[in-house]
Amino acid sequence: RLWFSNSSLFRIDQPMDRREVAFEWRTDDPAKLNKMKSAKFNERFESHLFSAFGFRWFLQLYPHGYNNKGSVELYLSLAALPPKIKCISLSRTLYCIETKTENTGNFTFTKVHGAGWPVNQLLNADIQRHASLTFKVSMGLAGVIDVDDDDVTESHLNMNQERPKASVDSLLKQQQIMAVRLDSLTTNMDKIMQRMDTMEEEKKQQHNQVIHPEQQRLKSWLESTNCLAVYYDTFVVHGFSDFAKFASLDIQGIKNIGVADLQHQVLILGKVLELNRNSAADNDDLEILDNTDKEGEPARKKRKLG
């Protein structure tokens, strides 16, 4: 016998009656469960599609009623009636596992519709205390008639016997292939990340090796203030790579390169002003030296005696 669930497909190891199929729909996610329990009148929930006897089916659930408010109404629904099929006859039993509710009936599908259990078979109040809800249908095929009024039941029973097994084998094979691919992808991603880390480290080393003397001076100067050292790369990227360029910064320029911390802005501006003061003092000293004569005495203009 083949059993289907909303998350997997598996087979029970016992002789399979090709006229029977069972499908189980379980909900234990707290959010989804709460949504079901608090559903409004006529609000509908559906399981995913499943195959049986060569047709596609699904379960429909109205937790607060479709025909009668407060009644939990469950239906087995045919997704589509093939154009060449006139009718499908089957027996079905619907279950709610947690509440031990079940109902059996015989139905003939001549169009797309649902075969549900009676109104008030289960009430919304009866499902409130359960931490999960499992709805199940057991189906037994009685007959299939095509549009020419020929009995094609046997061919559909053979579909039920052969196709699900193929689906099981196919799913297992696909699962194994996907597991291998996932392992391979994980391994490749690890290698890529390791390579990127290596390249980043090599880039840093090369940068440190070819750093310009003026940049090194600026870097060392910034490192004298611990909190400003982190901005060295930012300054270099924006073109402030030596003292002369750094000294041209103003408060707006500091903001533009991405220094958002107000305290750091003030510290950097203070460093710029300090650099400019030192530069001005050096220039004054240079002018004094340029105005001394060869003997080391200040040159004096000769006055003409009258």
Side-chain angles (χ1 to χ4, degrees):
R1 179 176 297 181
L2 290 179
W3 293 82
F4 301 80
S5 76
N6 61 333
S7 59
S8 62
L9 170 66
F10 59 96
R11 190 166 72 186
I12 296 177
D13 293 325
Q14 63 181 38
M16 181 181 71
D17 184 344
R18 63 196 181 118
R19 288 182 180 270
E20 296 182 14
V21 167
F23 172 80
E24 189 175 281
W25 176 26
R26 177 181 172 83
T27 302
D28 54 11
D29 177 77
K32 294 180 181 177
L33 195 63
N34 183 62
K35 193 173 181 181
M36 280 186 175
K37 291 178 179 180
S38 59
K40 298 178 180 179
F41 181 58
N42 278 343
E43 186 173 355
R44 181 180 64 195
F45 296 82
E46 294 180 352
S47 72
H48 71 286
L49 293 171
F50 66 95
S51 296
F53 314 116
F55 305 106
R56 303 285 279 170
W57 311 83
F58 62 98
L59 291 179
Q60 280 186 315
L61 176 69
Y62 294 85
H64 207 63
Y66 173 69
N67 295 297
N68 189 53
K69 191 173 183 180
S71 174
V72 177
E73 299 182 32
L74 181 65
Y75 296 85
L76 169 65
S77 297
L78 178 66
L81 186 70
K84 294 183 179 181
I85 300 299
K86 184 177 181 179
C87 64
I88 307 165
S89 296
L90 53 78
S91 63
R92 67 102 189 94
T93 302
L94 293 171
Y95 305 84
C96 178
I97 304 300
E98 287 77 7
T99 61
K100 299 181 180 180
T101 306
E102 68 177 79
N103 173 263
T104 301
N106 298 319
F107 296 88
T108 297
F109 290 82
T110 57
K111 59 181 180 179
V112 177
H113 68 279
W117 61 23
V119 172
N120 295 329
Q121 178 82 26
L122 179 64
L123 299 179
N124 181 271
D126 297 330
I127 66 174
Q128 296 298 322
R129 64 186 179 86
H130 294 287
S132 66
L133 289 175
T134 307
F135 297 98
K136 174 183 166 185
V137 59
S138 294
M139 305 164 59
L141 185 65
V144 181
I145 305 299
D146 67 13
V147 292
D148 297 322
D149 288 328
D150 293 328
D151 187 339
V152 291
T153 306
E154 189 66 25
S155 64
H156 283 271
L157 289 172
N158 290 334
M159 291 180 189
N160 191 51
Q161 187 176 31
E162 296 170 2
R163 291 188 178 180
K165 185 177 185 305
S167 298
V168 173
D169 295 339
S170 176
L171 283 174
L172 290 174
K173 186 174 180 179
Q174 289 180 19
Q175 186 179 18
Q176 292 171 353
I177 291 172
M178 290 300 294
V180 172
R181 288 179 177 176
L182 183 60
D183 289 342
S184 177
L185 182 62
T186 302
T187 301
N188 289 336
M189 284 298 296
D190 289 342
K191 289 180 179 179
I192 291 172
M193 294 301 296
Q194 291 175 1
R195 180 56 184 159
M196 289 179 66
D197 290 342
T198 302
M199 291 175 65
E200 184 66 23
E201 186 61 31
E202 290 175 352
K203 183 179 178 181
K204 287 181 179 179
Q205 292 178 359
Q206 292 174 1
H207 177 73
N208 291 334
Q209 291 173 357
V210 299
I211 190 169
H212 192 275
E214 282 296 314
Q215 292 181 12
Q216 185 59 54
R217 284 184 61 207
L218 178 61
K219 184 177 182 181
S220 300
W221 189 64
L222 288 171
E223 286 175 350
S224 64
T225 303
N226 293 333
C227 61
L228 297 185
V230 296
Y231 294 111
Y232 169 73
D233 290 333
T234 302
F235 291 136
V236 172
V237 167
H238 287 84
F240 301 96
S241 54
D242 55 38
F243 278 111
K245 294 175 181 177
F246 183 80
S248 66
L249 273 171
D250 56 18
I251 189 63
Q252 190 59 47
I254 294 170
K255 293 178 180 178
N256 290 342
I257 66 174
V259 181
D261 187 281
L262 180 60
Q263 184 178 1
H264 290 179
Q265 292 175 8
V266 173
L267 286 172
I268 293 171
L269 187 61
K271 283 288 185 180
V272 170
L273 294 175
E274 177 187 338
L275 185 62
N276 286 326
R277 284 196 301 269
N278 293 340
S279 177
D282 291 342
N283 290 336
D284 289 343
D285 291 342
L286 185 61
E287 288 180 6
I288 292 173
L289 289 175
D290 286 344
N291 288 327
T292 56
D293 59 13
K294 293 181 180 180
E295 286 77 16
E297 293 293 331
R300 297 182 178 84
K301 289 183 179 180
K302 293 181 179 180
R303 289 187 302 167
K304 188 175 181 181
L305 297 174

